[in-house]
Amino acid sequence: MAGVGAGAVAPTARALRWARPWPPAFLWLPAVLVAGAVLLPLAYLLVRTLGAGDEVWRLLFRARTLLVLGRSLSLAGAVAATTVALALPLAWLTARTDLPWRRLWAVLTSLPLVIPSYVGALVAVSALGPRGMLQGLLARPFGVDRLPEIYGFPGAWLVLSLLSYPYVLLNLRAALGRLDPALEEASRSLGHSAWATFRRVTLPHLRPALAAGALLVALYTLSDFGAVSLLRFETFTWAIYLQYQTSFDRTLAAALGLVLVVFAIGLLVLEGASRGRSRYYRSTAGAVRPPAVARLGKWRWPAVALCALVVLGAVALPLSVLGYWLVRGLLAGQALAPLGRATVNSLYVSGMAAAVVLVAALPVAVLSVRYRVWVVALLERASYVGFATPGIVVALALVFFGARYATPIYQTLALLVFAYGVLFLPTAVGAVRSSLLQINPNLEDAARSLGRTPFRAFAGITLPLIRPGLAAGAALVFLLTMKELPATLLLSPIGFKTLATSIWSSASEAFFARAAAPALLLVLASSLSLALMNLGERR
Amino acid sequence: MTVAVNSALMCYAWDRMPTDAVVQLHSVSKAYGLTRVIEDLSLHIVAGELLSILGPSGCGKTTTLRLIAGFERPDRGSIEVGGRPVANGSVFLPPERRGVGMVFQDYALFPHLTVAQNVSYGVRERDRKRRVQELLKMVGLGGLEKRYPHELSGGQQQRVALARALAPQPPIVLLDEPFSNLDADLRAQVRREVRDILKSTGTAAIFVTHDQEEALAIADHVAVLHQGRLEQTGTPDEIYHWPKTRFVADFVGQADFLPASVTPQGVVSELGTWALPVPVDAGQDVELMVRPHDTGVIADGQGDAVVTAREFHGEENHYTIRLPSGREVHSTMPSHAVHQVGDRVRLAICIPEVVIFHQGKGLGRGKAQASAVPAP
């Protein structure tokens, strides 16, 4: 009852109340360095764009730019809406009903998380594209020689919706778990039917989670590079890449990148606002009674069919398609040897990124949890810049910066790992923060009163206690780095191929058989780290 | 308007010269932003003494402890521990260099360390093992060395926290609401044990509490804090029987305050006339403190008071009585002294010592004269 548990009830309020005037140097010095480093790319992009003068503005306000903007926003909106429509029934079915094999469906429906968007796009192109598998299947019996166009909006919408709905789903399931069952019982006792209760009590409580999930999906769509590039839908990220590849003057690419960042920040601000309100909806900590289970009755099997359909489309079919191409490639004598190099590279660079990001995240997270002063709040905000900066933009900024000011590390792994650092620092800070919030701040005070310096109190007490959180953060960064595409594409040293870049380059040249093996490997690695992370959390 | 002040009471702070003070606070103030948490607080505690800081929540009790321990920096004033300045305008010693033990409200036991490792955490000497054995035996937890904190009951965790704080042999231990996480049945027993342990080691202790019964029961001295200011310090008896302010009178135990006036005959109130405890100019309006235990209810069909409520508490009856003026007073009577709501009664007030207040301040203390007779 006491110890960690008692402190976990209101640690933030406590930390606020006992705010120290100034944190020790072993914390703020590295934190300032980290914040400065992650701000560097964005700042450089800004300087570069503003320095280019009026011409940038003329380029930016061309019709083509507006077209790109329109495409990006309509795709983000459509994908967000679709994921909400998919996730809402799935969340309710897997959290609150007597759906047969409910636990299994709960796991299966969140599996699309492990499939990177460019693998999804690869599958879509190879299966649904012109001269693809589906057309091949239909050609002989039905004489179908054309399928609806998969390139462009439809393909991007389909792939991104099917792969990103778990973001909304997980948010919703968590919110359903937090909902005090007594509220629904109160509504029923006041004469409302089950459906009216869902509409008037449950749904309003889910709205913040729904909004936050949808905005996250919109952000994910806006910054996605893999799917839109393989499906040739010219949204911001793809336009930036084209501009960077083809044009001699790269200022426009920089300007487009900044516009994208502005929209991403807008989405993040909205997301923050929706989350801020959600706190009011949360039930008290005491509500541990499991919620009532809704009986589906004759709707049981249609519900199972819905779950099966989604899992089939988002997980089973893509994996089967990849398996098909793998077997076909192997039968055709495709060599697996080049894969070994790419796998080693992927593991190596991801491990390095995980270690670096974790070390960088630690001081920022500790400061933000234990020392609530405005400078610290500012530092924490700065560390979140990676959330709002799509990979392609970070990569572009570092290409500019590296080529001009940091030639010794340009085209080296150091710069690539730095890019990962900027991109994934927020994730790591979040993981470390949430485990720190579980730690009673009195523990460090107790160590101090028993004669330990702040540093030794931290190293001897806090660090061992947050080790599971650190491991989870490292695993998450490792996973994200394995899947990361645009920064890896732009910043890898010449000849340095990873699983992600092998998949993308094979797929963009339509060598599907060559892309299948690395894609399956990547999915396998992602699933393993996700499983490990879940295990860590449960313990 | 002259008010003669009783010197015996007001001079409490000076009558014990703090030459042997273990901890001393001089005019300490502390604010968070615009919120003043501690205002001009002076306190001291001598070796081996148990001082309780008593007050409602938000009165600054915990902040006082954290100032002494070194987790907070005072804005003004100075703090000494063992005669050594630890915080003033020019010095600020961090907690690890103060040698002040602390027992946290939630115990703050290190969850990843065993009981023995927790207790030995602050011990520097070579013979850690023996010291741990000694301490665990003292707090009655011998044999539990290998356990982890979550494998212990609340009362056991409490004692580990105390053993850990005592292990480095500090001259003083600070305890923050030490018994608030324990069940009511356990509380009385544990606090007696804690008192005995502290007394046997001769360690001075300051413990903060909002529970007046707890403070009165185990402290040698009590300091009552209200909105960051010290209202009164004294022995538990002094605090209860001779409160210096209306706040103390109200917060420590229950009390009714009856309007009264000072006449040449004494203090005249609706319930009777009492001799003045101290010389006070006639014609002043004062308030007379009457505790429910000093107010007896006697059945009397001719009486002019009426019972308006009765609460039966098993061992006692709590009565609310309406006086002819419409004012209500409270009485605590034995279990079998039963009166029904609506019964006419008269009151028998037996105040051994009269306490009166003028504008919220106590007018000193003195023996009530035997001539004090309640009005018929």
Side-chain angles (χ1 to χ4, degrees):
Chain A
M1 61 166 243
V4 181
V9 178
T12 28
R14 194 171 260 271
L16 268 174
R17 172 125 195 252
W18 307 127
R20 279 74 159 177
W22 192 249
F26 78 88
L27 285 176
W28 67 257
L29 209 60
V32 167
L33 285 177
V34 167
V38 298
L39 279 177
L40 184 76
L42 206 58
Y44 181 68
L45 213 55
L46 199 66
V47 169
R48 175 88 192 244
T49 313
L50 294 180
D54 296 340
E55 207 216 344
V56 178
W57 301 109
R58 249 201 327 280
L59 284 171
L60 264 183
F61 288 107
R62 283 182 315 173
R64 187 173 152 239
T65 317
L66 291 179
L67 207 61
V68 167
L69 180 64
R71 283 196 203 109
S72 291
L73 293 183
S74 59
L75 183 64
V79 171
T82 313
T83 53
V84 166
L86 274 177
L88 193 57
L90 288 180
W92 185 71
L93 284 174
T94 55
R96 301 290 287 273
T97 66
D98 59 349
L99 181 77
W101 313 297
R102 193 170 58 92
R103 278 171 193 285
L104 180 70
W105 291 119
V107 175
L108 288 180
T109 49
S110 54
L111 268 189
L113 274 182
V114 303
I115 302 179
S117 70
Y118 46 89
V119 172
L122 148 76
V123 168
V125 170
S126 70
L128 306 176
R131 313 252 149 251
M133 293 160 65
L134 186 64
Q135 197 250 327
L137 280 176
L138 298 178
R140 207 153 305 154
F142 303 108
V144 175
D145 60 354
R146 267 190 73 115
L147 285 173
E149 183 69 23
I150 189 72
Y151 285 107
F153 182 88
W157 166 75
L158 180 72
V159 168
L160 289 173
S161 299
L162 280 179
L163 295 185
S164 62
Y165 78 84
Y167 290 106
V168 188
L169 179 72
L170 294 179
N171 251 350
L172 280 180
R173 264 213 292 257
L176 275 172
R178 281 196 303 266
L179 182 63
D180 187 347
L183 293 177
E184 291 177 348
E185 288 164 5
S187 165
R188 296 299 290 276
S189 76
L190 292 167
H192 279 56
S193 68
W195 169 243
T197 296
F198 182 78
R199 210 164 39 81
R200 296 191 56 181
V201 176
T202 316
L203 206 54
H205 277 85
L206 296 182
R207 203 173 293 145
L210 214 54
L215 288 166
L216 269 183
V217 166
L219 187 64
Y220 173 86
T221 308
L222 210 55
S223 47
D224 175 69
F225 170 79
V228 295
S229 64
L230 289 180
L231 288 158
R232 298 189 211 142
F233 188 49
E234 199 184 331
T235 60
F236 261 113
T237 51
W238 182 231
I240 291 168
Y241 184 74
L242 288 178
Q243 192 67 32
Y244 159 78
Q245 284 281 328
T246 55
S247 164
F248 193 70
D249 178 21
R250 289 161 175 183
T251 310
L252 182 60
L256 286 175
L258 275 180
V259 175
L260 182 53
V261 170
V262 168
F263 277 95
I265 289 176
L267 282 177
L268 272 179
V269 168
L270 283 178
E271 197 260 355
S274 72
R275 252 199 321 195
R277 276 200 304 277
S278 83
R279 230 166 281 146
Y280 295 100
Y281 293 99
R282 236 166 252 173
S283 64
T284 50
V288 285
R289 205 153 39 89
V293 171
R295 302 202 170 278
L296 289 173
K298 61 179 181 208
W299 290 100
R300 290 178 71 181
W301 299 109
V304 169
L306 175 70
C307 294
L309 199 66
V310 173
V311 170
L312 193 73
V315 185
L317 278 182
L319 292 183
S320 318
V321 169
L322 289 177
Y324 164 79
W325 285 110
L326 177 67
V327 171
R328 219 176 109 161
L330 289 177
L331 291 180
Q334 178 95 51
L336 284 178
L339 203 58
R341 191 70 246 160
T343 310
V344 170
N345 283 346
S346 269
L347 293 175
Y348 175 66
V349 79
S350 303
M352 219 150 69
V356 168
V357 172
L358 207 64
V359 169
L362 201 54
V364 179
V366 173
L367 276 185
S368 76
V369 171
R370 293 279 190 265
Y371 299 88
R372 302 299 308 185
V373 291
W374 64 270
V375 194
V376 167
L378 216 62
L379 280 180
E380 195 200 345
R381 291 283 148 75
S383 77
Y384 283 152
V385 76
F387 262 151
T389 326
I392 187 87
V393 178
V394 171
L396 196 69
L398 287 179
V399 166
F400 291 162
F401 184 79
R404 203 179 264 201
Y405 298 105
T407 32
I409 60 161
Y410 184 53
Q411 292 277 348
T412 64
L413 280 184
L415 197 62
L416 181 59
V417 169
F418 181 75
Y420 292 144
V422 174
L423 284 172
F424 303 135
L425 184 69
T427 311
V429 169
V432 179
R433 253 184 71 94
S434 58
S435 55
L436 270 172
L437 284 174
Q438 311 285 317
I439 309 283
N440 180 351
N442 279 347
L443 291 181
E444 266 182 55
D445 285 350
R448 299 275 315 270
S449 76
L450 292 165
R452 296 297 198 272
T453 60
F455 181 74
R456 289 191 58 203
F458 174 75
I461 300 300
T462 310
L463 209 52
L465 287 172
I466 59 170
R467 212 153 31 195
L470 295 183
L476 202 57
V477 172
F478 186 87
L479 173 72
L480 289 169
T481 311
M482 290 277 284
K483 298 201 304 190
E484 207 285 334
L485 179 66
T488 319
L489 215 52
L490 263 62
L491 290 171
S492 283
I494 292 169
F496 186 83
K497 292 209 111 194
T498 66
L499 288 176
T501 58
S502 324
I503 297 166
W504 191 79
S505 55
S506 305
S508 55
E509 291 160 34
F511 292 129
F512 301 129
R514 209 189 284 166
L520 280 171
L521 257 180
L522 197 53
V523 170
L524 185 72
S526 299
S527 323
L528 280 181
S529 19
L530 203 66
L532 277 179
M533 228 152 55
N534 280 339
L535 271 183
E537 261 167 44
R538 216 158 294 161
R539 221 181 308 135
Chain B
M1 181 187 299
T2 55
V3 175
V5 174
N6 181 305
S7 55
L9 188 60
M10 296 302 278
C11 290
Y12 164 74
W14 287 273
D15 62 11
R16 288 189 305 154
M17 282 304 286
T19 46
D20 53 348
V22 184
V23 169
Q24 220 173 336
L25 278 72
H26 293 291
S27 313
V28 171
S29 297
K30 173 77 187 169
Y32 297 116
L34 293 175
T35 325
R36 295 172 169 191
V37 188
I38 299 288
E39 278 284 299
D40 196 29
L41 176 65
S42 297
L43 262 186
H44 66 262
I45 172 169
V46 298
E49 182 188 4
L50 239 77
L51 173 71
S52 164
I53 299 180
L54 174 66
S57 57
C59 72
K61 314 180 289 261
T62 300
T63 304
T64 307
L65 282 200
R66 295 180 62 88
L67 283 164
I68 298 169
F71 300 123
E72 304 283 336
R73 215 181 257 265
D75 297 335
R76 278 192 307 282
S78 65
I79 302 173
E80 286 172 27
V81 174
R84 189 172 58 133
V86 295
N88 58 35
S90 52
V91 180
F92 182 78
L93 278 192
E96 62 269 23
R97 291 176 54 202
R98 292 197 180 186
V100 172
M102 179 120 181
V103 176
F104 292 82
Q105 182 173 8
D106 51 19
Y107 314 141
L109 296 178
F110 305 130
H112 60 309
L113 302 181
T114 62
V115 166
Q117 286 168 331
N118 262 288
V119 174
S120 71
Y121 190 85
V123 184
R124 303 235 167 221
E125 53 195 277
R126 277 184 177 261
D127 212 4
R128 282 187 184 202
K129 225 175 176 169
R130 222 203 56 232
R131 179 97 184 106
V132 171
Q133 298 287 345
E134 229 173 68
L135 280 159
L136 286 180
K137 209 171 139 202
M138 182 176 72
V139 299
L141 290 177
L144 297 185
E145 291 83 354
K146 295 254 159 58
R147 295 272 190 95
Y148 282 91
H150 67 266
E151 297 169 325
L152 302 178
S153 70
Q156 289 172 325
Q157 292 185 10
Q158 202 334 307
R159 281 180 278 172
V160 175
L162 182 64
R164 183 179 72 177
L166 288 172
Q169 292 176 298
I172 178 146
V173 176
L174 311 176
L175 303 97
D176 187 1
E177 299 269 2
F179 311 111
S180 62
N181 277 338
L182 300 174
D183 293 339
D185 314 344
L186 202 57
R187 206 174 296 163
Q189 180 203 335
V190 172
R191 72 189 182 203
R192 246 189 330 271
E193 286 170 6
V194 167
R195 185 190 156 88
D196 292 346
I197 291 165
L198 290 169
K199 286 290 172 193
S200 71
T201 55
T203 314
I206 303 180
F207 73 99
V208 308
T209 179
H210 63 267
D211 180 346
Q212 39 118 353
E213 183 201 321
E214 194 168 289
L216 297 179
I218 63 171
D220 299 319
H221 283 95
V222 179
V224 183
L225 224 55
H226 177 47
Q227 292 179 343
R229 289 180 178 278
L230 186 64
E231 292 272 329
Q232 185 174 359
T233 58
T235 63
D237 300 72
E238 287 170 328
I239 295 286
Y240 186 82
H241 290 304
W242 306 296
K244 285 205 310 189
T245 63
R246 261 208 62 170
F247 173 80
V248 175
D250 216 10
F251 187 72
V252 182
Q254 286 181 309
D256 290 308
F257 299 94
L258 293 173
S261 53
V262 178
T263 67
Q265 286 76 43
V267 190
V268 179
S269 79
E270 197 180 351
L271 290 176
T273 303
W274 282 270
L276 276 170
V278 288
V280 179
D281 282 357
Q284 287 204 56
D285 290 329
V286 294
E287 285 180 302
L288 175 71
M289 176 180 89
V290 185
R291 300 247 186 230
H293 273 284
D294 298 339
T295 307
V297 180
I298 298 165
D300 181 351
Q302 307 301 308
D304 49 8
V306 179
V307 177
T308 56
R310 171 188 176 230
E311 260 179 47
F312 182 55
H313 285 234
E315 54 211 0
E316 285 172 344
N317 281 295
H318 291 193
Y319 290 107
T320 307
I321 312 292
R322 196 174 60 235
L323 301 179
S325 64
R327 188 170 296 280
E328 291 193 321
V329 295
H330 299 86
S331 163
T332 303
M333 295 290 285
S335 188
H336 290 291
V338 178
H339 307 275
Q340 299 306 330
V341 171
D343 282 1
R344 294 207 154 263
V345 295
R346 75 188 146 86
L347 297 181
I349 312 286
C350 171
I351 305 180
E353 314 211 20
V354 173
V355 177
I356 53 176
F357 297 96
H358 177 64
Q359 292 172 344
K361 286 262 184 270
L363 289 185
R365 140 197 181 189
K367 288 277 180 203
Q369 303 300 306
S371 66
V373 173

